[in-house]
Amino acid sequence: MSYLFLQVQAQDVGNHFPLAFTLVYVVGFIAAITIGSIAWYNSKRPPGWENKERPDIIPKVEKD
């Protein structure tokens, strides 16, 4: 009976998703949100947002 328990326990160890992949996805998601927010705030304002002030944490990007 203990042999069966050890075999099931050994099979369970290989099914975990690697931590490195999870960190890459989390960091990539945060970077995408940050870059997207900066791009959106620096783009042409949608109707109704023309006179709104830019948040202080968003850097201003000058056009060439």
Side-chain angles (χ1 to χ4, degrees):
M1 186 69 167
S2 64
Y3 173 73
L4 181 61
F5 177 71
L6 291 174
Q7 186 178 8
V8 170
Q9 186 179 10
Q11 288 176 350
D12 186 43
V13 172
N15 293 334
H16 294 291
F17 197 70
L19 179 63
F21 287 120
T22 305
L23 290 176
V24 166
Y25 289 132
V26 169
V27 171
F29 180 75
I30 292 171
I33 295 296
T34 303
I35 293 169
S37 296
I38 291 171
W40 183 79
Y41 277 113
N42 283 310
S43 67
K44 183 179 175 187
R45 304 275 193 232
W49 284 76
E50 294 92 350
N51 298 326
K52 301 293 181 189
E53 291 195 23
R54 175 187 316 274
D56 293 335
I57 60 171
I58 304 296
K60 183 157 178 79
V61 177
E62 298 293 330
K63 294 181 183 179
D64 289 336

